[in-house]
Amino acid sequence: MTLIHNLPTAPTELSTKLSTPVDDSPDPGDFLLRGLPVLVLLSLLLVLLPGTGAAALRVRDDAGRTVTLPRPASRIVSLYVAHTENLVALGAKGQLAGVSAADDPAWAGPARRLPLKPDVEALLALRPDLVVLRPLQLQMQPQLLGQLERFHIPVAVLEPPAWGNLASYLNRLGALTGRTAEARRVGERTVALTDRARRRHQSEPRPGVFLVTTARTLTTCAPGSWADRLLEAAGGENLASEARPLSPGSAVASFGDERLLGLGNRLRLVLVQQGAMNALPASELARDPRLSVLEAVRAGRVRDVPEAFVSRPSVLRLPKALALLESLVDGAREGGKAKP
């Protein structure tokens, strides 16, 4: 992460001049000539001293660009749900001016709802001082970045966070919003929460788990992804740990039905995420005759889980997500049906 705060200080030369007494003789002409340098210096100090003029802050985004703000953003447009929820986790809910239509109203509050591909006029109407989006948005709208830059709207292009870069991601959000202390605390709490979950299960057997991200093509979570680490923290063993991501850095990996059937009795629990990526419910997947050979299917251990809990990299949802997954994994460990 590159995070640069330019915090200017007054030069020694200025301090020396300010300490020199001003000639207060009654000659008005002399006063104007002698007082002018002091007035200029005082004006400079009003600009430079902390608290009287905000120093520009600079953050390097994931597109390799330097995002420069004169002050922390107060009218933010977030075009990705995980960015929105992580901003809310930092306490920046009141700084949101616009969010995507997919955002949960409970988190986004009164911020204006925007379509999946908002036009630049809709964004400008919100008078944002920062737009936060993920690279996928620019794949859908290749012209958007240039359009916003032409109107001098700062844009931060941030990848969805992964466990390996979570601290860097939160720190950048914190810097852009003036919430650096909150970002540090949230990061520490997140690590502590997952560490406690791991310790609870470290001496227990780890039942084999498979997460279906898209039932139609039987994709799963990629190794090292948000969902993969959640399953591990909840006490399960992700049996797709060697699956290949669909593309470099993707959180989704291909798998296929043949490999799924090959897991055999190692597979104790099948989780089927429900959301934008997959609409097929677990009950329908369990009726697929090809899967009837799997003991987990015959025992009824095929369960729906919200996509927002398992695959969305949201620190805001993490406590409930972990609690849900731990309950399901515990049920599979005990050998009966997964707990509801």
Side-chain angles (χ1 to χ4, degrees):
M1 175 192 75
T2 302
L3 174 58
I4 309 168
H5 288 276
N6 294 337
L7 299 176
T9 57
T12 306
E13 177 187 357
L14 301 187
S15 302
T16 304
K17 289 187 178 182
L18 279 175
S19 64
T20 304
V22 177
D23 184 352
D24 58 355
S25 65
D27 187 332
D30 272 356
F31 176 80
L32 290 173
L33 291 174
R34 293 172 184 270
L36 183 60
V38 177
L39 293 174
V40 172
L41 293 174
L42 284 173
S43 299
L44 285 173
L45 283 176
L46 287 174
V47 173
L48 297 176
L49 285 175
T52 60
L57 62 89
R58 296 182 176 89
V59 170
R60 184 64 61 99
D61 73 6
D62 291 325
R65 303 163 53 257
T66 298
V67 184
T68 304
L69 300 180
R71 63 191 64 83
S74 60
R75 292 191 59 79
I76 304 166
V77 171
S78 171
L79 297 181
Y80 174 49
V81 287
H83 291 337
T84 301
E85 293 182 9
N86 292 326
L87 285 165
V88 172
L90 300 189
K93 181 177 181 178
Q95 293 162 253
L96 291 170
V99 297
S100 97
D103 272 290
D104 190 330
W107 305 128
R112 181 75 58 84
R113 320 289 288 185
L114 294 164
L116 178 64
K117 296 191 286 186
D119 56 48
V120 69
E121 289 80 8
L123 296 174
L124 293 175
L126 296 175
R127 298 178 290 107
D129 51 12
L130 177 67
V131 175
V132 183
L133 48 80
R134 56 177 171 166
L136 181 60
Q137 190 75 39
L138 299 182
Q139 294 178 26
M140 297 186 295
Q141 295 181 273
Q143 309 302 319
L144 183 61
L145 181 59
Q147 291 172 335
L148 290 171
E149 287 179 335
R150 279 197 292 275
F151 287 96
H152 307 289
I153 304 297
V155 179
V157 182
L158 299 177
E159 292 278 5
W163 291 103
N165 70 353
L166 182 61
S168 167
Y169 167 84
L170 291 174
N171 287 341
R172 285 181 289 175
L173 282 185
L176 292 167
T177 58
R179 296 180 176 275
T180 53
E182 292 91 335
R184 184 177 61 255
R185 287 195 293 268
V186 168
E188 290 170 351
R189 285 200 301 267
T190 300
V191 171
L193 181 65
T194 54
D195 283 349
R196 285 196 300 271
R198 289 187 182 94
R199 287 195 294 271
R200 281 195 296 271
H201 306 296
Q202 62 185 359
S203 61
E204 299 174 331
R206 290 185 170 274
V209 182
F210 182 82
L211 173 65
V212 178
T213 56
T214 307
R216 182 173 54 84
T217 54
L218 268 181
T219 59
T220 188
C221 59
S225 64
W226 189 266
D228 174 53
R229 296 295 179 86
L230 278 183
L231 293 176
E232 181 264 334
E237 178 190 359
N238 178 17
L239 296 183
S241 60
E242 297 181 2
R244 181 176 297 179
L246 295 179
S247 59
S250 174
V252 179
S254 57
F255 206 76
D257 53 1
E258 289 187 9
R259 292 181 68 185
L260 179 60
L261 295 174
L263 298 177
N265 290 337
R266 295 171 57 209
L267 180 60
R268 303 289 297 169
L269 176 64
V270 180
L271 300 177
V272 185
Q273 75 173 17
Q274 298 297 303
M277 290 180 62
N278 178 68
L280 187 75
S283 57
E284 189 169 338
L285 181 67
R287 288 197 294 269
D288 188 328
R290 295 172 301 170
L291 304 185
S292 61
V293 299
L294 294 171
E295 190 272 338
V297 175
R298 294 197 304 271
R301 294 193 294 270
V302 183
R303 296 301 305 269
D304 290 319
V305 290
E307 181 182 314
F309 276 23
V310 292
S311 292
R312 182 178 300 167
S314 166
V315 296
L316 195 64
R317 295 180 184 268
L318 185 62
K320 288 186 177 180
L322 261 179
L324 171 64
L325 291 175
E326 284 183 285
S327 174
L328 293 170
V329 171
D330 284 347
R333 183 184 294 112
E334 293 166 6
K337 290 190 176 183
K339 296 179 181 179

PDB file of all heavy atoms in Angstrom, residues 313-325:
ATOM      1  N   PRO A 313     -17.019 -10.320   0.502  1.00  0.00           N
ATOM      2  CA  PRO A 313     -15.965  -9.980   1.470  1.00  0.00           C
ATOM      3  C   PRO A 313     -16.349  -8.773   2.313  1.00  0.00           C
ATOM      4  O   PRO A 313     -15.826  -7.668   2.154  1.00  0.00           O
ATOM      5  CB  PRO A 313     -14.751  -9.708   0.582  1.00  0.00           C
ATOM      6  CG  PRO A 313     -15.323  -9.254  -0.719  1.00  0.00           C
ATOM      7  CD  PRO A 313     -16.630  -9.969  -0.876  1.00  0.00           C
ATOM      8  N   SER A 314     -17.254  -8.999   3.242  1.00  0.00           N
ATOM      9  CA  SER A 314     -17.812  -7.932   4.070  1.00  0.00           C
ATOM     10  C   SER A 314     -17.478  -8.191   5.532  1.00  0.00           C
ATOM     11  O   SER A 314     -17.938  -9.185   6.108  1.00  0.00           O
ATOM     12  CB  SER A 314     -19.332  -7.872   3.876  1.00  0.00           C
ATOM     13  OG  SER A 314     -19.949  -7.095   4.882  1.00  0.00           O
ATOM     14  N   VAL A 315     -16.695  -7.311   6.138  1.00  0.00           N
ATOM     15  CA  VAL A 315     -16.399  -7.467   7.565  1.00  0.00           C
ATOM     16  C   VAL A 315     -17.634  -7.179   8.396  1.00  0.00           C
ATOM     17  O   VAL A 315     -17.749  -7.649   9.539  1.00  0.00           O
ATOM     18  CB  VAL A 315     -15.227  -6.561   7.988  1.00  0.00           C
ATOM     19  CG1 VAL A 315     -13.951  -6.953   7.282  1.00  0.00           C
ATOM     20  CG2 VAL A 315     -15.531  -5.085   7.749  1.00  0.00           C
ATOM     21  N   LEU A 316     -18.592  -6.459   7.842  1.00  0.00           N
ATOM     22  CA  LEU A 316     -19.823  -6.147   8.558  1.00  0.00           C
ATOM     23  C   LEU A 316     -20.638  -7.407   8.819  1.00  0.00           C
ATOM     24  O   LEU A 316     -21.260  -7.548   9.873  1.00  0.00           O
ATOM     25  CB  LEU A 316     -20.644  -5.149   7.728  1.00  0.00           C
ATOM     26  CG  LEU A 316     -21.784  -4.419   8.410  1.00  0.00           C
ATOM     27  CD1 LEU A 316     -21.275  -3.515   9.518  1.00  0.00           C
ATOM     28  CD2 LEU A 316     -22.561  -3.594   7.388  1.00  0.00           C
ATOM     29  N   ARG A 317     -20.648  -8.341   7.872  1.00  0.00           N
ATOM     30  CA  ARG A 317     -21.450  -9.558   7.992  1.00  0.00           C
ATOM     31  C   ARG A 317     -20.678 -10.716   8.623  1.00  0.00           C
ATOM     32  O   ARG A 317     -21.250 -11.792   8.843  1.00  0.00           O
ATOM     33  CB  ARG A 317     -21.955  -9.983   6.612  1.00  0.00           C
ATOM     34  CG  ARG A 317     -22.911  -9.001   5.975  1.00  0.00           C
ATOM     35  CD  ARG A 317     -23.368  -9.505   4.609  1.00  0.00           C
ATOM     36  NE  ARG A 317     -24.205  -8.545   3.937  1.00  0.00           N
ATOM     37  CZ  ARG A 317     -25.538  -8.500   4.012  1.00  0.00           C
ATOM     38  NH1 ARG A 317     -26.176  -9.393   4.748  1.00  0.00           N
ATOM     39  NH2 ARG A 317     -26.226  -7.586   3.369  1.00  0.00           N
ATOM     40  N   LEU A 318     -19.413 -10.535   8.864  1.00  0.00           N
ATOM     41  CA  LEU A 318     -18.566 -11.655   9.275  1.00  0.00           C
ATOM     42  C   LEU A 318     -19.049 -12.377  10.532  1.00  0.00           C
ATOM     43  O   LEU A 318     -19.060 -13.620  10.556  1.00  0.00           O
ATOM     44  CB  LEU A 318     -17.124 -11.170   9.447  1.00  0.00           C
ATOM     45  CG  LEU A 318     -16.095 -12.245   9.768  1.00  0.00           C
ATOM     46  CD1 LEU A 318     -15.992 -13.257   8.640  1.00  0.00           C
ATOM     47  CD2 LEU A 318     -14.733 -11.616  10.033  1.00  0.00           C
ATOM     48  N   PRO A 319     -19.447 -11.693  11.614  1.00  0.00           N
ATOM     49  CA  PRO A 319     -19.868 -12.432  12.812  1.00  0.00           C
ATOM     50  C   PRO A 319     -21.030 -13.393  12.541  1.00  0.00           C
ATOM     51  O   PRO A 319     -20.990 -14.555  12.965  1.00  0.00           O
ATOM     52  CB  PRO A 319     -20.267 -11.313  13.783  1.00  0.00           C
ATOM     53  CG  PRO A 319     -19.462 -10.130  13.344  1.00  0.00           C
ATOM     54  CD  PRO A 319     -19.416 -10.229  11.854  1.00  0.00           C
ATOM     55  N   LYS A 320     -22.063 -12.929  11.827  1.00  0.00           N
ATOM     56  CA  LYS A 320     -23.205 -13.803  11.540  1.00  0.00           C
ATOM     57  C   LYS A 320     -22.825 -14.900  10.555  1.00  0.00           C
ATOM     58  O   LYS A 320     -23.312 -16.038  10.665  1.00  0.00           O
ATOM     59  CB  LYS A 320     -24.372 -12.976  11.002  1.00  0.00           C
ATOM     60  CG  LYS A 320     -25.059 -12.118  12.051  1.00  0.00           C
ATOM     61  CD  LYS A 320     -26.297 -11.444  11.500  1.00  0.00           C
ATOM     62  CE  LYS A 320     -27.012 -10.647  12.584  1.00  0.00           C
ATOM     63  NZ  LYS A 320     -28.239  -9.985  12.062  1.00  0.00           N
ATOM     64  N   ALA A 321     -21.963 -14.571   9.605  1.00  0.00           N
ATOM     65  CA  ALA A 321     -21.538 -15.574   8.634  1.00  0.00           C
ATOM     66  C   ALA A 321     -20.792 -16.713   9.315  1.00  0.00           C
ATOM     67  O   ALA A 321     -21.047 -17.903   9.051  1.00  0.00           O
ATOM     68  CB  ALA A 321     -20.662 -14.921   7.564  1.00  0.00           C
ATOM     69  N   LEU A 322     -19.878 -16.361  10.209  1.00  0.00           N
ATOM     70  CA  LEU A 322     -19.126 -17.396  10.918  1.00  0.00           C
ATOM     71  C   LEU A 322     -20.043 -18.243  11.794  1.00  0.00           C
ATOM     72  O   LEU A 322     -19.901 -19.471  11.855  1.00  0.00           O
ATOM     73  CB  LEU A 322     -18.045 -16.746  11.779  1.00  0.00           C
ATOM     74  CG  LEU A 322     -16.623 -16.724  11.217  1.00  0.00           C
ATOM     75  CD1 LEU A 322     -15.681 -16.033  12.189  1.00  0.00           C
ATOM     76  CD2 LEU A 322     -16.139 -18.122  10.903  1.00  0.00           C
ATOM     77  N   ALA A 323     -20.973 -17.601  12.485  1.00  0.00           N
ATOM     78  CA  ALA A 323     -21.890 -18.347  13.357  1.00  0.00           C
ATOM     79  C   ALA A 323     -22.718 -19.340  12.548  1.00  0.00           C
ATOM     80  O   ALA A 323     -22.913 -20.496  12.965  1.00  0.00           O
ATOM     81  CB  ALA A 323     -22.794 -17.375  14.114  1.00  0.00           C
ATOM     82  N   LEU A 324     -23.203 -18.928  11.373  1.00  0.00           N
ATOM     83  CA  LEU A 324     -23.992 -19.817  10.529  1.00  0.00           C
ATOM     84  C   LEU A 324     -23.160 -21.002  10.053  1.00  0.00           C
ATOM     85  O   LEU A 324     -23.589 -22.166  10.145  1.00  0.00           O
ATOM     86  CB  LEU A 324     -24.538 -19.045   9.324  1.00  0.00           C
ATOM     87  CG  LEU A 324     -25.212 -19.884   8.234  1.00  0.00           C
ATOM     88  CD1 LEU A 324     -26.463 -20.563   8.778  1.00  0.00           C
ATOM     89  CD2 LEU A 324     -25.554 -19.027   7.025  1.00  0.00           C
ATOM     90  N   LEU A 325     -21.968 -20.724   9.553  1.00  0.00           N
ATOM     91  CA  LEU A 325     -21.135 -21.802   9.024  1.00  0.00           C
ATOM     92  C   LEU A 325     -20.693 -22.761  10.127  1.00  0.00           C
ATOM     93  O   LEU A 325     -20.642 -23.985   9.913  1.00  0.00           O
ATOM     94  CB  LEU A 325     -19.927 -21.217   8.309  1.00  0.00           C
ATOM     95  CG  LEU A 325     -20.237 -20.485   7.003  1.00  0.00           C
ATOM     96  CD1 LEU A 325     -18.975 -19.843   6.434  1.00  0.00           C
ATOM     97  CD2 LEU A 325     -20.848 -21.420   5.972  1.00  0.00           C
TER      98      LEU A 325
END
